[in-house]
Amino acid sequence: MAVRIQFICLLCLLTATVRGQGYLMRDIHLRLTGTQRIHEVLEAISKSQGFYFSYNSQVVPADSMITVARYEGKLLDFLTNTFGPAYEFKESPGYVIIRYAPRRMAVAIHVEKPRYGPMVVEGQITDAGNKKGVYLASIYERNALTSTLSGPTGNFKLTIRRPEETIWLTISKENYRDTTLALLPPVQVSTKQKGRRYWFAPEEGNGMGLDGTALGRFFISSRQRIQRINLGGFFAYNPYQISLTPGLSSQGLFNSQVVNQVSLNIVGGHTAGVNGIEVGGVFNINQQRARYFQAAGLFNLVGNSMQGMQAAGLSNIVVREVWGVQVAGINNRAGSAAGAQVAGLFNVAGNVKGIQLAGIVNIAGNVNGVQLSGLVNVADSSDYPIGLINLIKNGDKSFAIELNESGTAQLTFRSGGRILYGLLGVGYRLNDNPMRYVLEAGIGIHIWQTTRFTLDAELASGISPDFKTTPEQQASFRVFPQFRFNTHWGIFAGPTVKYVLQPERTFQAGFMGGLRYRW
């Protein structure tokens, strides 16, 4: 049987004067010359006071001009006079947040607490001006880490399974001032805190990292996106969470704002991040960062950065940086990577420091390390690409017409970076050898390069099939001095050593030369 408990309801606006670090109550001293833009004045204040201003430049007139020759007083008074009553100013460690919030909410609540079981808070949120219900406002309790969204008429119902002695119920909605209800039992004079950690991260609060991916748009519901917009960059830490699917978790709709140490997702989960271990039967989605270890049956998706190891049956996608190792059955994607990307088919990253290893293709920006693929490497710069085709922007590519001592004429394509390159060749024997065709692949190195002279060494494997009997196979090592006529044309010639595997194992010395066109 539920019994009604009487609470004292305190309605307050979340400003720095309530539970902040005191930034807004600091005395500031401004000495300005002439007219300046608002954002320049804010930058000067933040540098002198040791915190940052966070605001949406689309709704905050940061480029407007103001003239303040001299000001001495509280920061809150300066901001209020500068922006006017349509804006609110809040604090979070390291930040003063400027929000366009011209509208206010009124909240009516009803609380029931059974003798045994969770507390149920029901109520209605209305616009203080027109008295209409406020739809899709976020209502959350930051200690219990539980939340919900209001319905079309502003009605809501929030279940708090393990209530604190004091309940801090916060209501947030875009373009409205945040409102907090402190629900205090009549005899309670102090609160027992769990020691949770909260922080404000404005760059992660917009969630643009996830929204920029097809998987993020598909798997994240509209209710979760609205929750993220309402709460902005507010995040919390919690030891663990268990979810069946995104939204159906031990943290409910609030899961997208919580970073967990241990996260177990039976099918899949959507959290703010993980600072420990996360395992998903099908997928893991993190709005912010992932650290240490993350594994999923199909894919991992991180909207910010990853530090540690990711393993997925199909794909790992990290919108920003990766420090560590990504291992996936099909592909890895990262904004940049420091460590290793290992994929069955292909890797994609911006700048890479370490190694990219893929069955077919590696794609990167500037690579400070090694690219190793079964077929193609693509990069803006990569000194050590190992693949048959290496399309390196600051490297070179060339075609060569070659002839060796056995009478084989060959056309060879070479491509690579400033040190390593790959080669593919196809040739035809002009003598009476019944195995007329030659296919060749290998790797080369630029030992010495000047404007006119180059010394290269190559290892190549060749096969001569006649499509009827056992093909002839051989491996060769050769050294090619090359003289360049100009930027594009050059001639080369040098000794070769062949090891013939089929039809009999023998060593053969030879010679090869030709004409090369490079670009």
Side-chain angles (χ1 to χ4, degrees):
M1 177 179 179
V3 296
R4 188 171 302 172
I5 296 180
Q6 182 181 359
F7 282 82
I8 301 172
C9 177
L10 303 177
L11 181 62
C12 63
L13 297 177
L14 278 180
T15 64
T17 58
V18 182
R19 289 179 297 167
Q21 301 297 313
Y23 301 139
L24 291 173
M25 291 296 102
R26 290 182 182 179
D27 290 319
I28 62 172
H29 305 274
L30 296 179
R31 301 290 189 274
L32 304 177
T33 58
T35 301
Q36 297 192 30
R37 298 185 187 275
I38 290 179
H39 74 84
E40 295 173 343
V41 178
L42 296 181
E43 288 175 5
I45 295 173
S46 65
K47 288 180 181 179
S48 65
Q49 297 296 321
F51 59 80
Y52 297 97
F53 285 99
S54 174
Y55 55 84
N56 184 344
S57 59
Q58 295 181 347
V59 294
V60 174
D63 288 331
S64 297
M65 309 297 291
I66 59 173
T67 301
V68 181
R70 178 174 179 176
Y71 176 82
E72 294 185 2
K74 302 296 183 185
L75 174 59
L76 178 60
D77 295 334
F78 174 77
L79 294 176
T80 302
N81 293 334
T82 301
F83 291 99
Y87 291 83
E88 73 165 345
F89 315 101
K90 304 192 300 179
E91 288 187 7
S92 188
Y95 290 92
V96 168
I97 307 160
I98 303 173
R99 290 183 67 237
Y100 179 64
R103 307 170 76 174
R104 290 170 170 77
M105 293 178 284
V107 184
I109 64 167
H110 170 77
V111 180
E112 289 200 359
K113 176 66 172 70
R115 295 184 187 277
Y116 304 99
M119 175 183 293
V120 178
V121 181
E122 295 182 89
Q124 184 181 29
I125 304 168
T126 57
D127 187 293
N130 58 31
K131 308 303 180 183
K132 293 182 179 180
V134 177
Y135 185 35
L136 295 178
S138 294
I139 305 99
Y140 64 95
E141 209 291 324
R142 64 175 61 199
N143 291 317
L145 297 182
T146 182
S147 68
T148 187
L149 292 173
S150 60
T153 62
N155 292 336
F156 69 90
K157 181 178 181 180
L158 185 66
T159 300
I160 303 174
R161 301 189 180 280
R162 293 183 298 274
E164 298 289 321
E165 295 180 350
T166 296
I167 303 299
W168 290 94
L169 202 64
T170 302
I171 299 96
S172 295
K173 173 68 176 176
E174 192 176 20
N175 293 334
Y176 282 88
R177 297 208 173 199
D178 283 0
T179 301
T180 292
L181 300 174
L183 308 181
L184 307 174
V187 297
Q188 179 65 24
V189 295
S190 65
T191 60
K192 185 186 296 183
Q193 299 293 335
K194 291 184 178 180
R196 296 192 188 278
R197 290 187 293 165
Y198 310 96
W199 85 102
F200 178 71
E203 67 277 10
E204 283 90 23
N206 56 27
M208 293 304 294
L210 293 182
D211 289 348
T213 65
L215 289 174
R217 292 190 297 270
F218 180 81
F219 282 96
I220 300 173
S221 69
S222 60
R223 290 173 61 85
Q224 288 173 317
R225 291 192 184 96
I226 292 169
Q227 178 87 309
R228 185 192 65 221
I229 292 171
N230 287 342
L231 301 186
F234 171 73
F235 295 96
Y237 284 109
N238 197 48
Y240 68 91
Q241 77 91 28
I242 300 174
S243 69
L244 178 62
T245 61
L248 296 177
S249 76
S250 58
Q251 292 162 353
L253 195 62
F254 203 74
N255 61 349
S256 62
Q257 304 301 125
V258 182
V259 173
N260 306 280
Q261 288 181 299
V262 178
S263 180
L264 175 61
N265 303 311
I266 307 303
V267 176
H270 173 208
T271 65
V274 61
N275 194 31
I277 298 174
E278 183 169 44
V279 178
V282 178
F283 63 88
N284 300 307
I285 298 177
N286 300 119
Q287 179 178 328
Q288 197 195 25
R289 295 179 174 88
R291 297 180 67 190
Y292 305 132
F293 182 78
Q294 191 177 49
L298 293 185
F299 70 88
N300 294 304
L301 174 59
V302 179
N304 195 306
S305 61
M306 169 68 198
Q307 179 182 356
M309 180 173 180
Q310 277 187 316
L314 295 183
S315 177
N316 293 307
I317 301 173
V318 177
V319 175
R320 296 186 183 177
E321 306 87 359
V322 171
W323 296 279
V325 180
Q326 287 183 305
V327 180
I330 292 183
N331 78 292
N332 295 302
R333 291 178 177 269
S336 64
Q341 286 186 309
V342 182
L345 295 185
F346 65 95
N347 295 304
V348 179
N351 295 335
V352 174
K353 185 176 182 180
I355 183 171
Q356 281 187 314
L357 175 61
I360 297 180
V361 180
N362 289 310
I363 300 174
N366 298 321
V367 179
N368 183 9
V370 177
Q371 286 182 304
L372 175 59
S373 74
L375 185 58
V376 179
N377 293 306
V378 180
D380 290 337
S381 67
S382 180
D383 291 343
Y384 300 96
I386 303 174
L388 299 181
I389 300 174
N390 304 286
L391 306 178
I392 312 302
K393 190 173 182 180
N394 75 337
D396 61 29
K397 297 169 281 292
S398 68
F399 277 109
I401 299 174
E402 305 168 344
L403 184 66
N404 65 22
E405 83 290 340
S406 64
T408 301
Q410 185 167 302
L411 179 64
T412 302
F413 174 68
R414 292 174 172 86
S415 59
R418 292 179 297 179
I419 297 177
L420 295 183
Y421 61 90
L423 63 95
L424 281 174
V426 57
Y428 184 80
R429 285 175 172 161
L430 304 176
N431 55 26
D432 57 357
N433 192 317
M435 295 186 181
R436 294 287 187 181
Y437 302 99
V438 177
L439 301 176
E440 191 175 62
I443 185 173
I445 181 171
H446 299 300
I447 299 174
W448 183 30
Q449 294 190 86
T450 66
T451 304
R452 293 293 185 181
F453 183 80
T454 301
L455 181 63
D456 297 338
E458 296 178 352
L459 283 172
S461 176
I463 185 170
S464 300
D466 67 353
F467 308 106
K468 294 180 181 179
T469 61
T470 302
E472 180 182 303
Q473 301 177 49
Q474 62 185 25
S476 62
F477 172 75
R478 54 232 189 183
V479 178
F480 288 146
Q482 177 186 194
F483 176 76
R484 295 178 181 175
F485 301 116
N486 52 39
T487 304
H488 299 294
W489 291 99
I491 58 172
F492 64 93
T496 66
V497 177
K498 296 180 183 178
Y499 178 65
V500 181
L501 285 76
Q502 293 289 343
E504 57 184 17
R505 299 189 177 187
T506 60
F507 282 97
Q508 299 177 1
F511 191 83
M512 177 179 280
L515 179 67
R516 181 178 298 177
Y517 176 82
R518 64 184 293 271
W519 69 95

